[in-house]
Amino acid sequence: MHAFYSQYRNQILFGLMAGLLILVAVIQSPSVALTILNLCLISAIMSLGVNIQWGYAGLFNVGVMGFAALGGLAGVLVSMPPVSEAWQAGGFGILLGLLITAGTVVACLMAWSSIKHLTRYRYWIIAGIIVLGYTLLRLFFDPGVDAIEAIDPSVTGYLGGLGLPILVAWPVGALFAAGVAFVIGKIALGLRSDYLAIATLGISEIIIFFIKNEEWLTRGVKNVNGLPRPVPYEIDLQQAQWFQEWALALGLPVDDASAIFVKICYALLFIAVIGVLLWLSETALKSPWGRMMRAIRDNETAAAAMGKDVTWQHLRVFILGSAVIGLAGAMLTTLDGQFTPVGYNPLRFTFLIWVMVIIGGSGNNWGAVLGGFFIWFFWIEAEPIGLWLIETLTAGMDPQSAVRAHLLEGAAHMRLMTVGLILLLTLRYAPEGLIPEKKRL
Amino acid sequence: MSFLLGEHMTGGYGAADILHDCSIGVEKGEIAVIVGPNGAGKSTAMKAVFGMLPLRKGRIVFDGSDVTALKPEERVVKGMGFVPQTHNVFTSMTVEENLEMGAFIRTDSISDSISQVYDLFPILKEKRKQPAGELSGGQRQQVAVGRALMTHPKVLMLDEPTAGVSPIVMDELFDRIIEIARLDVAILMVEQNAKQALEIADKGYVLVQGRNRFTDTGEALLANPEVRKAFLGG
Amino acid sequence: MVDVFNALTVLGNFLIIPGLTYGSQLALGALGVTLVYGVLRFSNFAHGETMAFGAMITILVTWGLQAASISIQPLPTALLAIPVGIVVTVVLTLLIDRFVYRYHRDRKANPVIFLIVSIGVMFFMGGLIRFIIGPGDQIFFDGTRFILKAREFKQMTGLDEGLSLRMTQAVTIITAIIIVAAMFWFLNHTRTGKSMRAYSDNENLALLSGINPDRVVMITWILVAALATIAGTLYGLDKSFKPFVYMQLLLPIFASAIVGGVGNPLGAIAGGYVIAFSELILTFAYKKIILYLGPETLELDSLVQILGTDYKIAVSFIILVIVLIIKPTGLFSGKTI
């Protein structure tokens, strides 16, 4: 029995997962099952990204939310139509502002390296440059921002995007995340693991603050709705002759059929992406590079002594993993069809992803994917399951009872407790996760 | 049977043994010194006696009872004191607090013991309100020894007490150690400075590769030409 | 001259009093984080939830007291309920330590594993809190709202600007002073407190000295739970109680602890005020001050803020990141508990 399990573990576990989704399709509805599946796929990609950083290299990145949001931002900036009035009104100020920012950064970097001998005053000089740059920035930037945000604020009030197909946003989202990861990695990767965790958590919050507040770029808390889709719209399908016939043939109402069709289209797109990523990750893990990364993770000092450039390899892995998270972020925004900055909270976008990686099995790509599926499934289904549980357990109680009402109300929060418990139990009884890392040489 | 005796000790941290049938003992009021080349297992032997190394064979007898199964902290309660080679003071705490912590297991008044330590190491009295981390190397060693003395141990074990201190401070420390031994305390120490240590030793153990090589009085070892040639630099 | 007093009043009312209040809340929170770090050697991500849990129990007891018409006017009833909150929170943290952390401690697990474990605890406690009291806003403040009203101050002094002091602000600041003083007395003058410092300083030597690690760990959790309950309740009284807010508070608290040098209690206190005042100073609208102090003819159309008010909390993150990068040991490093 045990031998059978260990030989076919992956098949059994993924089969179980498929079974659960099919169960949902039967009990609830196929549409719900597909919604869960699509988000499972995106979660799996995020979890793959974290696994690249943690599983391959032992980097403790708790800034997942920030990278996902950057990917989402790419969705807006690539796909939304440009707002030409806004560009005319404030474009110049914004561009000048960006130039000033770039100039300040360059000045700081140059000053930093050219005044090495002035150790005592170095920080003050840099601070001076930053204050000067910031004042200049505010002087030119603010009027531009005000002008842009004044243009039809209820509909636009921002610069808009490039008006390109949204699929372009996926790689762009990855690039955004990679770019920011480069900067973060450069400054923070030298930190001890728990400091790195806190630093990345802080940076991800800063990114979200930026996105929430820089309305000229992101519309902030006003959200960006109606992002273009890579798949057909339900309404078009419902009106198309061929689709109506097709739905009729399947015996489904046209409304339901169109919703399911759209979700299947998304699922296929996502599966294609996850397939490519898994293939790449597995190839990388098996390559000499993967071997070196494991050597670095397991004994940094020894690897450094053998002449491996640990810092550079860490930076590379950090960028790669973040790019994957950014890609998933862009995909999520695409699926949602909207960009809602207030929706990004660390519980859902950072810690939950971490739970996925730990439970799936750190260091194992298939494990990360499975973890993404499992945890997302429970995150969504814990509420109905909890509700059902409490209803069954309190069935004998007076329906009017305040205790019962309170318990039913509380069922919605069962998922936090469940996820917490699953994580704690995993760490204790199966610290290697559902699909442990393969022992490679 | 010695007052403190580690008999036929065999064991190590991992799969490979570091100690091989090594025996070390010390009597009350005596100073026993373990010397030997680098990597001879001197500190390991000491740690084994104190219960910080899992033993595969052998036993530790202290004051007539077998303590082999006891944890280090339980041995402290029994009356064994240990001064580690490094990290042997609480750097962020004052000298006096270090001494207080040394007496943590005691429930009676400790002021007498504190003044006893101050009598032994007068400089500590002067610096009693200073954090131990701010003291010089020699003073720190005095704090470390003082801390271990606070429980009135019947045996005091010192792991290279003179590592990294100047020769003058070393002589002074040795003088103090002799004084402690005169209080009827058994002293077992590991020393890098073999010659000087053997001069004050009642008993000396020369270890090589985890085995007893020579065991004799300090004087006899110093006189032994073989020992002189191989371990004391002629 | 009157202008100067007016300007000072504005500063006092909008910067100094709020800064001291928020700083006290952060300092108490950071003290808890620092104690866990100093003794148990990990960053406790569940600390925000511990604060929320303690505050929640206090709220439940406060409601009970209010229903029974027991009060300590003019002080808020919650102060009466805090001891119960502390006891329940202590029990919960000790249970969690017994069933969760101890296993990993016995195994001498890596600090990162502890950190991840604390994330699990965070999820669990977060769920428990929302399950019991719900995710919504809870108001439990009663008693006198103001000690000094702006209008009264204006009448008293004849200034144009008012200075107000809310009861919750005074209670927060005074409680924080008392708790911090008690804490330092405990750490520096009691045998148990010293044994905690010794354990934090040098675990092995503490063992050799016969200090019982289980006891040190237990005392630490008791203190942490008490501090968290008090900090959580004070914050809830001053602002309002909402479970989600406490998670957001975690980062400013970490920032305070790290700015002060993690593991250093004095630093944690200082860090709390540094963070609180930086947030306020950087987002303060200096317009009024400049108008009072500047020449008569001066006119300003902007608020003269260094950063928009929206960026208030972000300031603490930015300071956190800068300190981590430039001086990860903190500004007041060199001393552990």
Side-chain angles (χ1 to χ4, degrees), chain A residues 186-377:
Chain A
K186 266 280 176 206
I187 54 183
L189 277 185
L191 292 171
R192 253 179 28 202
S193 52
D194 46 347
Y195 282 1
L196 176 65
I198 295 170
T200 45
L201 185 62
I203 292 170
S204 73
E205 291 280 1
I206 295 173
I207 293 173
I208 300 300
F209 263 95
F210 176 82
I211 288 176
K212 272 189 201 165
N213 289 302
E214 299 305 315
E215 290 185 5
W216 59 272
L217 187 69
T218 65
R219 289 200 87 219
V221 292
K222 291 187 293 187
N223 301 345
V224 178
N225 298 312
L227 295 178
R229 271 188 181 180
V231 297
Y233 285 85
E234 285 89 348
I235 189 84
D236 296 334
L237 287 172
Q238 286 158 19
Q239 281 157 4
Q241 183 84 42
W242 65 271
F243 190 78
Q244 286 170 359
E245 284 165 14
W246 189 71
L248 200 66
L250 282 173
L252 282 170
V254 179
D255 288 10
D256 291 359
S258 65
I260 291 175
F261 182 82
V262 169
K263 283 174 186 168
I264 289 178
C265 289
Y266 274 122
L268 291 176
L269 270 175
F270 294 167
I271 289 171
V273 172
I274 218 171
V276 173
L277 282 177
L278 261 175
W279 180 75
L280 285 173
S281 320
E282 282 292 292
T283 315
L285 257 192
K286 284 177 197 142
S287 70
W289 177 80
R291 202 156 53 228
M292 178 183 64
M293 282 323 298
R294 279 193 298 282
I296 292 179
R297 179 195 62 188
D298 295 338
N299 192 338
E300 223 168 273
T301 331
M306 276 153 60
K308 311 286 181 210
D309 187 348
V310 175
T311 319
W312 164 233
Q313 294 302 343
H314 275 173
L315 183 62
R316 254 186 18 183
V317 160
F318 189 70
I319 292 173
L320 269 177
S322 302
V324 172
I325 299 167
L327 169 69
M331 290 164 66
L332 182 65
T333 311
T334 309
L335 178 68
D336 289 343
Q338 57 175 356
F339 182 60
T340 45
V342 280
Y344 290 97
N345 77 66
L347 211 58
R348 150 79 179 87
F349 279 92
T350 297
F351 296 122
L352 196 65
I353 309 297
W354 265 95
V355 177
M356 292 169 183
V357 176
I358 304 283
I359 286 170
S362 352
N364 189 311
N365 294 316
W366 289 100
V369 170
L370 182 73
F373 268 77
F374 246 37
I375 293 303
W376 185 259
F377 183 85

Side-chain angles (χ1 to χ4, degrees), chain C residues 128-139:
Chain C
L128 189 66
I129 291 161
R130 287 162 180 79
F131 187 73
I132 295 176
I133 204 167
D137 243 317
Q138 311 292 346
I139 292 164

